[in-house]
Amino acid sequence: MTKTPVRTDDTPPERPQPLGRLEVASDSPRRTRAVAAALADLVDIGDLLILSGDLGAGKTCFTQGLGRGLGIDQRITSPTFTLANRYPGRLLLHHLDVYRLDSVAETLDLDLPDLLESGVTVIEWGERIAAVLPPDHLVVALRFPDLDVESSDDRRIIEFVANGSRWRQCLSVLAARLAGAPS
Ligand code: ADP
Ligand code: MG
């Protein structure tokens, strides 16, 4: 008696392709926080996020969502005057805003290497001090969409740009999760 050979499926499980860039539309502060909370699941100690965008674009709002995703109960407020705040959660979150720094030299006071190695670091306006930041980081650029008659004040575009292979991997996972999750 001949046996029918057992068919094995050799196709490897589908793996999301690394992604250099991801754009997500947000129609409310709540949605911006939810997108950030989804990202929080993927971050680790030593990670750096540079948040860019005009005043009021939603950088602090995004950080609040990230904090929520990291299990931080404390209210996250703008560190514009304090420059740096720290919040303990699943990981330690360092939240900085360097809008008021006059020169890159002033970053010495922030003790960046220490912050970077002890938790997740989020820097609003971080592109201004890019010269002293590690090359591997995620840029989160928030912007207002082009105005049209139907646009509401609550719409934002969140653009992620991955710098380094780890972030490209993270972005592909984030894209898959956001596609599967209801907004
Ligand atoms: P930034 O830190 O970039 O200066 P904030 O996060 O402090 O900005 O402020 C963003 C403001 O815009 C908040 O008042 C927030 O409620 C409002 N807002 C309206 N729609 C959105 C949105 N889709 N995403 C983020 N913030 C939004
Ligand atoms: Mg802010």
Side-chain angles (χ1 to χ4, degrees):
M1 198 167 73
T2 52
K3 272 192 176 172
T4 322
V6 180
R7 263 188 68 102
T8 54
D9 188 356
D10 293 332
T11 326
E14 226 175 271
R15 268 180 142 229
Q17 288 300 307
L19 211 60
R21 194 177 152 277
L22 171 67
E23 222 170 68
V24 181
S26 167
D27 57 5
S28 66
R30 188 191 154 105
R31 172 66 178 154
T32 296
R33 288 192 197 100
V35 171
L39 176 67
D41 280 348
L42 308 174
V43 299
D44 213 341
I45 287 195
D47 281 347
L48 169 65
L49 274 64
I50 290 181
L51 267 52
S52 74
D54 289 343
L55 284 172
K59 302 180 292 298
T60 300
C61 178
F62 186 93
T63 311
Q64 289 164 344
L66 194 82
R68 191 188 73 199
L70 289 172
I72 292 163
D73 297 327
Q74 236 174 305
R75 200 177 122 71
I76 293 179
T77 52
S78 175
T80 306
F81 297 100
T82 49
L83 282 184
N85 288 334
R86 53 188 279 147
Y87 303 93
R90 174 174 75 79
L91 303 170
L92 185 59
L93 174 67
H94 297 292
H95 181 203
L96 282 68
D97 184 327
V98 296
Y99 183 68
R100 277 165 198 279
L101 286 192
D102 291 323
S103 71
V104 167
E106 287 177 42
T107 60
L108 284 175
D109 297 337
L110 295 171
D111 212 353
L112 284 171
D114 201 52
L115 300 190
L116 287 165
E117 72 174 28
S118 60
V120 178
T121 304
V122 173
I123 310 183
E124 297 190 29
W125 300 98
E127 70 279 9
R128 295 183 171 203
I129 59 163
V132 295
L133 295 176
D136 277 30
H137 58 257
L138 181 69
V139 173
V140 184
L142 291 119
R143 65 176 196 270
F144 299 85
D146 295 335
L147 288 180
D148 61 60
V149 272
E150 284 168 49
S151 77
S152 99
D153 289 347
D154 288 352
R155 291 197 318 169
R156 302 287 190 275
I157 310 290
I158 309 171
E159 182 185 9
F160 297 93
V161 180
N163 289 280
S165 57
R166 186 181 123 57
W167 286 115
R168 286 194 282 278
Q169 211 61 55
C170 277
L171 276 196
S172 68
V173 176
L174 180 66
R177 290 195 182 176
L178 292 176
S183 61

